[in-house]
């Protein structure tokens, strides 16, 4: 596993539109159908990455805490399923069910969405405001597998809290780190 950092898409970037298969509802869903006029968190994750496994419970807690505030969460897996079959839609569905994901878990078969977002790693996080302009890209918090730091979701929680209060969002944002997205060769 190669440790990879976010590429840090420029703040203010408008969210690229997409329509992908949701492994939870088993329907095609577009960004326009599931975005929020408050804020939308888009997460590039997968099933097999130890960095994602480390944070899964916090992802569910985070979504459950902020969905009532009108914030939407969207998870996307863009990995090459031929070489990483555990990241296939069937297993994505099982993983979402196992963890009780309260958000769609979308399959980016062509990897075009990951490319549009300049996603580099799993997990990779993006927070868009109600106008779908990027206000945050970076880490969930500073906990990583084996580093002994508590898993809190602090970085994203601070951004969401500030956004909900109308406070300015810090531009001092730390890249996420995890496994590289498994690109089709």
């Amino acid at each position: 596993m190669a440790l990879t950092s976010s590429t840090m898409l420029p703040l203010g970037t408008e969210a690229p539109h997409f329509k992908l298969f949701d492994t939870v509802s088993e329907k095609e869903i577009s960004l326009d159908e599931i975005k929020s006029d408050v804020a939308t968190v888009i997460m590039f994750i997968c099933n097999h990455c130890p960095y994602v496994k480390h944070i899964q419970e916090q992802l569910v807690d985070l979504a459950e805490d902020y969905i009532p505030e009108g914030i939407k969460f969207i998870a996307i897996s863009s990995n090459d399923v031929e070489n990483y079959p555990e990241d296939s839609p069937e297993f994505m569905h099982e993983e979402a069910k196992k963890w009780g994901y309260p958000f769609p878990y979308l399959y980016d078969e062509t990897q075009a969405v990951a490319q549009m977002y300049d996603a580099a790693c799993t997990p990779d996080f993006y927070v868009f405001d109600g106008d779908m302009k990027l206000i945050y890209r970076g880490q969930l918090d500073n906990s990583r597998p084996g580093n002994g730091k508590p898993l809190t979701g602090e970085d994203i929680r601070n951004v969401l809290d500030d956004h909900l209060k109308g406070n300015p969002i810090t531009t001092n944002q730390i890249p996420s780190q995890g496994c590289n997205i498994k690109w089709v060769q």
Side-chain angles (χ1 to χ4, degrees), residues 51 54-59 61 139-158:
Y51 292 89
H54 176 71
I55 64 167
Q56 279 178 303
E57 186 174 350
Q58 183 58 225
L59 294 181
D61 290 348
Q139 68 180 9
L140 177 69
D141 60 28
N142 62 2
S143 180
R144 306 287 186 270
N147 76 359
K149 295 183 179 177
L151 184 61
T152 63
E154 177 181 32
D155 291 52
I156 290 185
R157 286 179 183 278
N158 288 341

Side-chain angles (χ1 to χ4, degrees), residues 110-138:
T110 67
Q111 301 183 316
V113 176
Q115 292 169 351
M116 289 187 301
Y117 280 78
D118 207 13
C121 60
T122 56
D124 214 345
F125 297 94
Y126 302 80
V127 180
F128 295 89
D129 66 14
D131 295 324
M132 296 307 289
K133 301 286 188 199
L134 186 65
I135 59 172
Y136 179 83
R137 72 288 192 250

Side-chain angles (χ1 to χ4, degrees), residues 10-148:
L11 293 173
T13 299
E14 187 169 337
H17 291 276
F18 56 78
K19 185 172 189 172
L20 295 171
F21 178 73
D22 176 23
T23 62
V24 176
S25 68
E26 300 183 338
K27 297 177 183 175
E28 291 272 323
I29 298 178
S30 71
L31 177 60
D32 286 337
E33 293 173 282
I34 53 177
K35 69 181 182 179
S36 166
D37 59 359
V38 176
T40 303
V41 179
I42 296 178
M43 313 171 281
F44 286 86
I45 65 172
C46 70
N47 290 350
H48 86 275
C49 173
Y51 292 89
V52 174
K53 288 178 183 268
H54 176 71
I55 64 167
Q56 279 178 303
E57 186 174 350
Q58 183 58 225
L59 294 181
V60 172
D61 290 348
L62 184 70
E64 288 177 346
D65 289 347
Y66 288 92
I67 288 172
E69 302 294 329
I71 296 172
K72 298 288 181 101
F73 290 77
I74 303 165
I76 301 172
S77 179
S78 301
N79 277 356
D80 170 11
V81 299
E82 187 172 319
N83 290 307
Y84 297 87
E86 60 269 44
D87 292 335
S88 71
E90 300 81 31
F91 291 115
M92 290 170 62
H93 178 84
E94 289 177 19
E95 196 75 358
K97 189 174 178 183
K98 171 185 166 185
W99 285 97
Y101 284 176
F103 44 76
Y105 191 14
L106 308 178
Y107 176 49
D108 179 20
E109 182 177 12
T110 67
Q111 301 183 316
V113 176
Q115 292 169 351
M116 289 187 301
Y117 280 78
D118 207 13
C121 60
T122 56
D124 214 345
F125 297 94
Y126 302 80
V127 180
F128 295 89
D129 66 14
D131 295 324
M132 296 307 289
K133 301 286 188 199
L134 186 65
I135 59 172
Y136 179 83
R137 72 288 192 250
Q139 68 180 9
L140 177 69
D141 60 28
N142 62 2
S143 180
R144 306 287 186 270
N147 76 359

